[in-house]
Amino acid sequence: MKSYIDGLLLNLKRANPGQEVFIQASTEILYSLIPLLKRDERYVKNKILERILAPERTMMFRVVYMSDGGEPCVHTGYRIEFNSALGPYKGGLRFHPSVNLGVLKFLGFEQIFKNSLTGLNIGGAKGGANFDPKGKSDGEIMRFCQAFMLELHRLISSNTDVPAGDIGVGGREIGYMYGAYKKLTRRFDGALTGKGLSWGGSLARTEATGYGSVYFANEMLATRGDSLHGKICTISGAGNVAIYTAEKLYQMQAKPVTVSDS
């Protein structure tokens, strides 16, 4: 079975040159599946791994907006719709200079498994652009989000593909994009998550990721008869997730001692 995985990875590297993080994630996941493949031959027989390693759709598009100084700024936008076997594609949008095809394929591939573990009928996807919101004015961010949605609105809807926020995409950016989506499609539906409470958002959505990380850590400790109570904890990050991670740690009587801004 190891030789089968080796062959899959060799073909994957040939088909995806330069996409190291995607290859690394695929390698880790595939080798971990060897016991399952030995137990059930249908995965190999029906080429399940070959299918799941290839995105169902990969979209790249140009995004142009005007800076405050009147200069056109050109970026590349992406949406990787990886797998919809369980339901509509679901995965965040990332605005960061490091965004490229390989990074988003890595994130979209792992999103398949992350979403399946929720027990909900949702598939895996990821998207974003090599745009850095840091140092940009609100007007520049708004114009970029509107230009980004000019292309993205053709790909998403509440029944097909439902993006969320990620690094560089918070409530402000989701608001700008959703406003553009409504104007372009003439629809008010659940095509984006992470919206504000006054226009279709969900209670506790802002806190969910940070709180969830703490609940998960506490459950892991519980398997060893331990808990977070009284523990000294380190947090990497200082954004939305880190803030609510710290808040929940305090509530569970743990002591966070670090945060680190990007």
Side-chain angles (χ1 to χ4, degrees):
M1 197 58 68
K2 182 178 181 299
S3 61
Y4 168 64
I5 298 297
D6 290 341
L8 276 181
L9 288 170
L10 183 62
N11 291 333
L12 194 68
K13 290 174 182 177
R14 289 170 178 165
N16 300 274
Q19 298 178 18
E20 289 84 2
V21 288
F22 174 49
I23 300 298
Q24 179 186 349
S26 303
T27 301
E28 293 173 358
I29 290 174
L30 290 178
Y31 281 120
S32 72
L33 292 175
I34 287 177
L36 174 64
L37 301 179
K38 289 179 178 178
R39 204 162 56 239
D40 192 335
E41 65 180 15
R42 291 178 298 173
Y43 290 98
V44 176
K45 180 181 178 182
N46 294 302
K47 307 286 187 183
I48 298 300
L49 297 187
E50 286 87 343
R51 296 185 195 190
I52 208 169
L53 283 166
E56 292 177 5
R57 292 176 187 84
T58 301
M59 279 74 68
M60 296 175 60
F61 46 90
R62 183 182 63 195
V63 184
V64 183
Y65 77 100
M66 300 297 288
S67 72
D68 289 342
E71 180 183 354
C73 301
V74 184
H75 295 273
T76 304
Y78 305 86
R79 187 63 178 170
I80 315 295
E81 295 178 338
F82 228 108
N83 193 283
S84 61
L86 294 180
Y89 305 105
K90 187 83 184 77
L93 298 170
R94 175 173 294 192
F95 292 168
H96 193 270
S98 66
V99 165
N100 57 45
L101 195 57
V103 168
L104 293 180
K105 285 172 75 172
F106 143 62
L107 294 168
F109 182 58
E110 292 201 334
Q111 196 78 33
I112 301 168
F113 306 100
K114 175 183 173 183
N115 288 351
S116 68
L117 288 169
T118 67
L120 301 173
N121 292 106
I122 48 179
K126 206 71 179 182
N130 58 346
F131 167 76
D132 190 358
K134 286 190 174 182
K136 305 293 192 303
S137 70
D138 281 349
E140 288 173 323
I141 291 171
M142 179 184 69
R143 290 191 292 276
F144 175 83
C145 289
Q146 291 169 340
F148 185 82
M149 188 53 68
L150 194 61
E151 296 295 330
L152 188 69
H153 82 277
R154 300 181 175 94
L155 312 175
I156 65 174
S157 81
S158 56
N159 293 316
T160 55
D161 187 351
V162 186
D166 194 71
I167 293 172
V169 180
R172 173 183 58 175
E173 290 76 20
I174 291 291
Y176 291 148
M177 285 191 281
Y178 195 60
Y181 173 82
K182 287 191 300 173
K183 186 173 183 179
L184 291 162
T185 64
R186 302 181 68 187
R187 294 200 303 268
F188 192 110
D189 58 29
L192 284 165
T193 55
K195 301 186 291 294
L197 290 177
S198 58
W199 39 283
S202 301
L203 288 169
R205 172 64 176 80
T206 307
E207 303 90 339
T209 311
Y211 282 12
S213 67
V214 179
Y215 290 136
F216 182 73
N218 202 50
E219 288 300 315
M220 289 178 67
L221 288 168
T223 64
R224 301 187 177 190
D226 203 351
S227 75
L228 283 168
H229 187 278
K231 292 284 191 299
I232 293 175
C233 306
T234 60
I235 300 171
S236 174
N240 177 73
V241 177
I243 288 168
Y244 290 107
T245 297
E247 181 177 275
K248 182 55 66 175
L249 285 171
Y250 279 123
Q251 291 174 8
M252 299 185 78
Q253 298 185 0
K255 184 180 180 181
V257 295
T258 69
V259 290
S260 55
D261 190 6
S262 60

